[in-house]
């Protein structure tokens, strides 16, 4: 009898490469800082970080140097790295920059394309679901995505790149506000709905007004002006 045809050889699988050790440490620390698991004033040691990520101390030093350049930590030789708290000046600078960019973008996004409206509706619904689940870090990310989508549709690439540079500070401040003021989570969702309504209705000035109130409220809450 003729021999049965042999099964075709399976192509060799390519092993998934892990990110370099320094990149893994960098990602671990940065996420923990932005999520406020490492709060401002926390002293991080190379040994503890190496153990947490499962690497040697050399990539830890490399990651810490990178994070110091980004302004998230301050290195102290032979002691470790201090997670820097959000300063009053930083809050002021971030909010002022957000207002300049986002009010302009809200006006320029009107009249909105069907694609923008659909995307904002999707992001708002995802934010609602994450808020119900109590995942503050994910809520902060989705919150920022909502605003960034409007900025992107303003059609100014330079402003979009400038806005991207605020990302880390926005996320950290967003989590801080929601931890200190849990009621703000629902309020953010409501105000995003108002912003979407104004954009959908073609009300450019109304959209800019919602942005001004919404972003200005962040400054008040982070500074402790809860009124």
């Amino acid at each position: 009898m003729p021999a049965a045809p042999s099964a075709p050889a399976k192509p060799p699988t390519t092993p998934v490469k892990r990110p370099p050790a320094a990149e893994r440490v960098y990602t671990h620390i940065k996420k923990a800082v932005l999520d406020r698991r490492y709060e401002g004033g926390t002293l991080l040691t190379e040994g503890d970080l190496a153990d947490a990520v499962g690497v040697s101390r050399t990539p830890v030093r490399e990651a810490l140097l990178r994070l110091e350049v980004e302004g998230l930590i301050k290195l102290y030789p032979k002691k470790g790295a201090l997670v820097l708290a959000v300063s009053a000046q930083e809050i002021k600078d971030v909010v002022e920059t957000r207002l300049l960019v986002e009010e302009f973008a809200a006006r320029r996004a009107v009249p909105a394309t069907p694609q923008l409206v659909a995307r904002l509706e999707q992001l708002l619904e995802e934010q609602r679901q994450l808020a119900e689940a109590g995942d503050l870090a994910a809520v902060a990310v989705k919150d920022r995505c909502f605003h960034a989508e409007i900025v992107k549709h303003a059609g100014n690439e330079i402003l979009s790149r400038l806005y991207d540079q605020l990302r880390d500070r926005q996320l950290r401040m967003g989590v801080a506000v929601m931890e200190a003021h849990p009621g703000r989570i629902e309020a953010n969702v409501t105000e995003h709905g108002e912003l979407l309504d104004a954009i959908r209705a073609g009300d450019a000035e109304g959209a800019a007004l919602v942005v001004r109130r919404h972003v200005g409220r962040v400054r008040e809450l982070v500074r402790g002006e809860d009124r």
Side-chain angles (χ1 to χ4, degrees):
M1 293 180 65
S6 58
K10 292 183 179 180
T13 57
T14 303
V16 178
K17 291 185 177 180
R18 298 181 71 192
E23 187 67 27
R24 297 202 307 273
V25 179
Y26 169 83
T27 300
H28 167 82
I29 301 172
K30 186 166 185 176
K31 188 175 189 308
V33 171
L34 297 184
D35 293 353
R36 288 174 58 83
R37 285 182 285 117
Y38 293 158
E39 296 188 13
T42 302
L43 185 65
L44 308 174
T45 67
E46 291 182 1
D48 288 344
L49 292 170
D51 291 342
V53 186
V55 297
S56 68
R57 294 194 180 198
T58 300
V60 172
R61 296 188 191 103
E62 184 179 333
L64 290 175
L65 286 170
R66 184 175 168 188
L67 289 161
E68 184 177 45
V69 171
E70 294 182 9
L72 292 178
I73 65 168
K74 173 68 176 176
L75 290 175
Y76 290 94
K78 299 181 180 180
K79 291 184 179 180
L82 183 70
V83 179
L84 296 177
V86 179
S87 68
Q89 184 63 47
E90 182 178 2
I91 294 167
K92 178 176 180 292
D93 293 347
V94 170
V95 171
E96 286 181 351
T97 307
R98 284 191 64 186
L99 286 171
L100 287 171
V101 174
E102 291 186 38
E103 284 192 49
F104 171 84
R107 292 187 179 95
R108 285 288 296 269
V110 175
T113 64
Q115 292 81 5
L116 173 59
V117 172
R119 179 60 176 153
L120 292 179
E121 289 173 342
Q122 177 189 359
L123 290 168
L124 184 57
E125 179 56 31
E126 290 173 354
Q127 187 180 0
R128 285 196 184 99
Q129 293 173 5
L130 291 168
E132 290 174 2
D135 189 340
L136 298 189
V139 171
V141 171
K142 202 64 63 174
D143 184 307
R144 189 195 177 277
C145 287
F146 185 91
H147 291 279
E149 195 69 26
I150 298 171
V151 173
K152 184 174 73 175
H153 278 76
N156 188 313
E157 292 186 7
I158 294 176
L159 276 185
S160 291
R161 288 197 293 270
L162 171 63
Y163 193 74
D164 285 343
Q165 293 175 19
L166 300 177
R167 177 184 180 276
D168 293 345
R169 291 179 171 87
Q170 281 181 259
L171 294 180
R172 196 174 176 202
M173 289 167 56
V175 174
V177 167
M178 289 185 288
E179 284 183 347
H181 307 276
R184 192 60 204 163
I185 302 171
E186 183 177 349
N188 280 346
V189 172
T190 299
E191 290 167 13
H192 284 180
E194 293 171 355
L195 178 54
L196 173 56
D197 288 343
I199 290 174
R200 190 191 286 117
D203 183 359
E205 289 306 315
L209 179 60
V210 173
V211 167
R212 194 177 312 130
R213 290 200 311 260
H214 176 65
V215 177
R217 187 66 173 142
V218 173
R219 173 169 50 192
E220 295 169 6
L221 292 173
V222 175
R223 292 171 58 184
E225 300 171 8
D226 189 11
R227 59 178 185 270

Coordinates of all heavy atoms in Angstrom, one line a residue, residues 104 108 151-161:
F104 N -9.2 75.9 22.7 CA -9.0 76.1 21.2 C -9.5 74.9 20.5 O -10.2 75.0 19.4 CB -7.6 76.3 21.0 CG -7.2 76.3 19.5 CD1 -7.3 77.5 18.7 CD2 -6.7 75.2 18.9 CE1 -7.0 77.5 17.4 CE2 -6.4 75.2 17.5 CZ -6.5 76.3 16.8
R108 N -12.4 74.3 17.5 CA -12.0 73.9 16.2 C -12.7 72.5 15.8 O -12.8 72.2 14.7 CB -10.5 73.8 16.1 CG -9.8 75.1 16.0 CD -9.9 75.7 14.6 NE -9.3 74.9 13.6 CZ -8.1 75.0 13.2 NH1 -7.3 75.9 13.8 NH2 -7.6 74.3 12.2
V151 N -8.6 67.1 20.9 CA -7.4 67.9 20.5 C -6.9 67.4 19.1 O -6.5 68.2 18.2 CB -6.3 67.8 21.6 CG1 -5.0 68.4 21.0 CG2 -6.7 68.4 22.8
K152 N -6.9 66.1 19.0 CA -6.4 65.5 17.7 C -7.3 66.0 16.5 O -6.8 66.2 15.4 CB -6.5 64.0 17.8 CG -5.9 63.3 16.6 CD -5.8 61.8 16.8 CE -7.2 61.1 16.7 NZ -7.2 59.7 16.8
H153 N -8.6 66.1 16.7 CA -9.5 66.5 15.6 C -9.5 68.0 15.4 O -10.2 68.5 14.5 CB -10.9 66.0 15.9 CG -11.1 64.6 15.5 ND1 -10.6 63.6 16.3 CD2 -11.7 64.1 14.4 CE1 -11.0 62.4 15.7 NE2 -11.6 62.7 14.6
A154 N -8.7 68.8 16.2 CA -8.6 70.2 16.0 C -7.7 70.5 14.7 O -7.8 71.6 14.2 CB -8.0 70.9 17.2
G155 N -7.0 69.5 14.3 CA -6.2 69.7 13.0 C -4.9 70.4 13.2 O -4.4 70.9 12.2
N156 N -4.4 70.5 14.4 CA -3.1 71.2 14.6 C -2.1 70.2 15.2 O -2.2 69.9 16.4 CB -3.3 72.4 15.5 CG -2.0 73.3 15.6 OD1 -0.9 72.8 15.8 ND2 -2.2 74.6 15.5
E157 N -1.2 69.7 14.4 CA -0.3 68.7 14.8 C 0.7 69.2 15.9 O 1.1 68.4 16.8 CB 0.5 68.1 13.7 CG -0.3 67.3 12.7 CD 0.5 66.7 11.6 OE1 1.8 66.7 11.7 OE2 -0.1 66.1 10.7
I158 N 1.1 70.4 15.9 CA 2.0 71.0 16.9 C 1.3 71.0 18.2 O 1.9 70.6 19.3 CB 2.5 72.4 16.5 CG1 3.3 72.3 15.2 CG2 3.3 73.0 17.6 CD1 3.8 73.7 14.7
L159 N 0.0 71.4 18.3 CA -0.7 71.4 19.5 C -0.9 70.0 20.0 O -0.9 69.7 21.2 CB -2.1 72.1 19.3 CG -2.1 73.6 19.4 CD1 -3.5 74.1 19.3 CD2 -1.5 74.1 20.7
S160 N -1.2 69.1 19.1 CA -1.3 67.7 19.5 C -0.1 67.1 20.2 O -0.2 66.4 21.2 CB -1.7 66.8 18.3 OG -3.0 67.1 17.8
R161 N 1.1 67.5 19.6 CA 2.3 67.0 20.2 C 2.6 67.6 21.6 O 3.0 67.0 22.5 CB 3.5 67.3 19.3 CG 3.5 66.3 18.0 CD 4.9 66.4 17.4 NE 5.2 67.6 16.8 CZ 4.9 68.0 15.6 NH1 4.3 67.2 14.8 NH2 5.2 69.2 15.1

